[in-house]
Amino acid sequence: MTTRVACCQIPLHVGDTTGNLTTATAAIEEAARDGAQIVVLPELASSGYVFADRAELESLAETRDGPAITAWANLAEAFNLTIVAGFPEAAGDKVYNSAAVVDPSGLRGVYRKAHLWDTENRVFDRADDLPLVLDTDHGRLGVMVCYDVEFPEWVRAVALQGADLLCAPVNWPLLPRPVGERPTEQVRALAGAGMNRMATAVCDRAGTERGQDWIGGSVIVDADGYPLAIADYGTPGRITADVDLAESRIKQFNDNNDVHGDRRTDLYRRVGLLD
Amino acid sequence: MTTRVACCQIPLHVGDTTGNLTTATAAIEEAARDGAQIVVLPELASSGYVFADRAELESLAETRDGPAITAWANLAEAFNLTIVAGFPEAAGDKVYNSAAVVDPSGLRGVYRKAHLWDTENRVFDRADDLPLVLDTDHGRLGVMVCYDVEFPEWVRAVALQGADLLCAPVNWPLLPRPVGERPTEQVRALAGAGMNRMATAVCDRAGTERGQDWIGGSVIVDADGYPLAIADYGTPGRITADVDLAESRIKQFNDNNDVHGDRRTDLYRRVGLLD
């Protein structure tokens, strides 16, 4: 049995919450018509990313019962979907770079990004959340946001909690890379999937914003660490894969090895890994 | 300033210690003539890999003053090299899957593999060594062996100790992979280099042995996580790259991010990563 997973690599425009929601709604409806069961949207899918300052971010942030989450939850109910999407979360005087999980029953959980990228440090509050892991109709989902995925400790933590599918909304800024090479961010996601035998769905974005280009490197990875679907770099579009999430529950991959059982935690403690 | 690093992807034949040493010697001499300063050989370069049983392994194991290490040390002195190479290490009634570092001053250190692969569990003793990190004329080297590299905790530990270059002798068995994809083992090495900003040199092997084929996927990676040199899969040969090891000492990569400084060890402890 497989689960149809879609990543909607949509263009976003900072400040245009109405336009972004229209774009996301159309993308979700198209994914649903194509049979998607789990839909991942980019990081900060409601607001866009390149905020001029904290004031602009605050003006675009919303609470957990705000318009974007409400709209996504309505779509989840209408099309029987589980949707993972990023939004700037207003919480008292704090604003977090968050991701929500909604399904036909409504809002299931919110994760606040723990590892902030570059200028996010100036506008967002840094969260102290642990990674979000929750059970859905389509298995156990782990959720983290963008730069989080580049910390193997964080990916490992989600995998150790039994996530069948890591869902990661991202906004990967376009940086130089050698011709013909996949972006290192994507390589890290592939490696994290393979080293944990955990299927992974990364949804990147498209659309230049205030001079910032994006990789547009959405990818769906199987538990062996190989891509099932990769977006055309930089191009708006949807990638879809039928993922056998049961494979993520098989951590033993030969008679003598198990990606988690083989960890030498006795030695990791001695070497001062968490000092 | 760069350091010339060579990985000698040589064919090996289990049991033929004389032939393997002849092959390794020729490869090291060629690398030296090409200006190499650091030379990495495969895992178990003295003995070959596919042991019939513990008795055969024991018959091929040697102590730290044995013939292979002595020969490699002599070559290091003759050509002013630092050499990292794998060998089966006899230590009392134990046999470890070890890697030695030799330089013009002689044997500098030995690392014993902590994560054993598949049938190695039946013939080798599992070590409790911490990763080897040592200073050489060419910077600080970290050393681990094959499957070790697939544990991001282990790679992180070496990087946190300031290794400029991770040297990893490997014997990567050939497993199925999708057409056009790099082997996941190689992807994991690329990711580890990038996520730690630590240059990495992986030396694989060639030559079918008792029906076992090998990837032959030697790779030298820069601190950005991109390959400087990749071997032709499955083919004997040497890859060489001029590596700027000073890049590995720059963990901060933009105004606000640092691959190690951004780690949320406060949260990693809470999430029970080492339980």
Side-chain angles (χ1 to χ4, degrees):
Chain A
M1 201 189 73
T2 59
T3 301
R4 185 158 289 190
V5 178
C7 296
C8 298
Q9 182 167 294
I10 53 177
L12 298 170
H13 300 283
V14 66
D16 183 11
T17 50
T18 304
N20 292 337
L21 183 54
T22 301
T23 303
T25 299
I28 291 166
E29 288 177 353
E30 283 171 28
R33 278 196 292 273
D34 187 46
Q37 297 163 287
I38 298 173
V39 175
V40 188
L41 296 184
E43 181 180 11
L44 297 169
S46 63
S47 60
Y49 183 96
V50 186
F51 310 103
D53 51 28
R54 168 85 176 192
E56 185 180 36
L57 169 60
E58 286 178 351
S59 76
L60 299 170
E62 60 178 84
T63 54
R64 296 183 179 192
D65 57 358
I69 290 181
T70 301
W72 298 333
N74 289 339
L75 288 162
E77 188 181 12
F79 296 104
N80 193 27
L81 298 171
T82 298
I83 300 172
V84 181
F87 72 107
E89 182 188 1
D93 63 346
K94 308 282 193 188
V95 184
Y96 298 106
N97 186 336
S98 295
V101 180
V102 295
D103 73 8
S105 70
L107 178 63
R108 294 294 314 283
V110 172
Y111 165 76
R112 296 166 171 171
K113 190 174 185 178
H115 304 86
L116 295 182
W117 173 263
D118 205 0
T119 54
E120 292 171 31
N121 286 282
R122 291 191 212 135
V123 292
F124 281 103
D125 292 283
R126 191 175 74 162
D128 294 326
D129 277 23
L130 299 187
L132 179 63
V133 178
L134 55 81
D135 289 315
T136 72
D137 290 345
H138 306 297
R140 187 169 292 184
L141 304 189
V143 178
M144 62 185 67
V145 177
C146 204
Y147 189 38
D148 284 328
V149 179
E150 302 183 43
F151 292 83
E153 296 90 342
W154 216 229
V155 175
R156 187 71 104 190
V158 164
L160 288 171
Q161 291 175 60
D164 302 315
L165 179 70
L166 172 59
C167 298
V170 310
N171 277 196
W172 279 338
L174 183 63
L175 298 169
R177 64 179 189 270
V179 173
E181 289 295 321
R182 287 181 177 156
T184 186
E185 296 85 349
Q186 201 175 57
V187 169
R188 296 168 194 193
L190 291 167
M195 291 191 292
N196 288 288
R197 294 198 48 76
M198 174 175 61
T200 297
V202 176
C203 186
D204 200 1
R205 59 169 287 173
T208 301
E209 200 178 85
R210 292 181 175 161
Q212 177 66 58
D213 287 319
W214 311 93
I215 292 173
S218 301
V219 63
I220 302 172
V221 194
D222 69 17
D224 293 327
Y226 291 107
L228 295 167
I230 294 194
D232 291 333
Y233 295 127
T235 307
R238 184 180 74 254
I239 59 170
T240 303
D242 295 320
V243 187
D244 182 356
L245 295 178
E247 280 293 312
S248 297
R249 289 165 215 154
I250 304 169
K251 302 304 183 189
Q252 183 168 343
F253 60 95
N254 66 36
D255 284 348
N256 297 289
N257 289 117
D258 179 301
V259 287
H260 288 164
D262 291 340
R263 295 173 73 229
R264 296 297 308 271
T265 49
D266 55 332
L267 303 182
Y268 305 160
R269 281 191 290 270
R270 278 177 50 205
V271 81
L273 202 59
L274 299 190
D275 295 348
Chain B
M1 198 187 77
T2 58
T3 301
R4 185 158 288 190
V5 178
C7 297
C8 299
Q9 183 166 294
I10 53 178
L12 298 170
H13 299 283
V14 65
D16 183 11
T17 51
T18 304
N20 292 338
L21 183 53
T22 300
T23 302
T25 298
I28 291 167
E29 289 177 353
E30 283 171 29
R33 278 196 292 274
D34 186 46
Q37 296 163 288
I38 298 173
V39 175
V40 188
L41 297 184
E43 181 181 11
L44 297 170
S46 63
S47 60
Y49 184 97
V50 185
F51 310 104
D53 51 28
R54 170 85 177 193
E56 184 180 37
L57 168 60
E58 286 179 350
S59 76
L60 298 170
E62 61 177 85
T63 55
R64 295 181 180 193
D65 58 357
I69 289 180
T70 301
W72 296 334
N74 289 340
L75 289 161
E77 188 181 13
F79 295 102
N80 193 29
L81 298 171
T82 298
I83 301 172
V84 181
F87 71 107
E89 180 187 3
D93 62 346
K94 309 280 193 189
V95 184
Y96 297 106
N97 185 337
S98 294
V101 181
V102 296
D103 73 7
S105 69
L107 178 64
R108 293 294 315 284
V110 171
Y111 165 75
R112 295 165 172 171
K113 190 175 186 177
H115 304 86
L116 295 182
W117 174 263
D118 206 359
T119 54
E120 292 171 31
N121 286 284
R122 291 191 212 136
V123 292
F124 281 102
D125 292 282
R126 190 175 75 160
D128 295 325
D129 276 22
L130 298 188
L132 179 65
V133 179
L134 54 81
D135 289 314
T136 72
D137 290 345
H138 306 296
R140 187 169 292 183
L141 303 189
V143 178
M144 62 185 65
V145 177
C146 204
Y147 188 38
D148 283 328
V149 179
E150 301 182 43
F151 292 83
E153 296 91 343
W154 216 229
V155 175
R156 186 71 105 190
V158 164
L160 288 172
Q161 291 176 61
D164 302 315
L165 179 70
L166 172 59
C167 298
V170 310
N171 278 194
W172 278 339
L174 183 63
L175 299 169
R177 66 178 188 270
V179 173
E181 289 296 320
R182 287 179 177 156
T184 187
E185 296 84 349
Q186 202 175 55
V187 169
R188 295 168 194 194
L190 292 166
M195 290 190 293
N196 289 286
R197 293 198 49 75
M198 174 175 61
T200 297
V202 176
C203 186
D204 199 2
R205 59 169 287 173
T208 302
E209 200 177 85
R210 292 182 174 159
Q212 177 66 59
D213 287 318
W214 311 91
I215 292 173
S218 301
V219 63
I220 302 173
V221 193
D222 69 17
D224 293 328
Y226 291 108
L228 296 167
I230 293 195
D232 291 332
Y233 296 127
T235 307
R238 184 179 74 254
I239 60 169
T240 302
D242 294 322
V243 186
D244 182 357
L245 295 179
E247 281 291 314
S248 297
R249 287 165 218 154
I250 304 169
K251 302 304 184 189
Q252 184 169 341
F253 60 95
N254 65 36
D255 284 349
N256 298 289
N257 289 116
D258 179 302
V259 286
H260 288 164
D262 292 339
R263 296 172 72 229
R264 297 296 308 272
T265 49
D266 56 331
L267 303 182
Y268 305 161
R269 282 190 290 269
R270 279 176 50 206
V271 81
L273 204 58
L274 300 190
D275 295 347

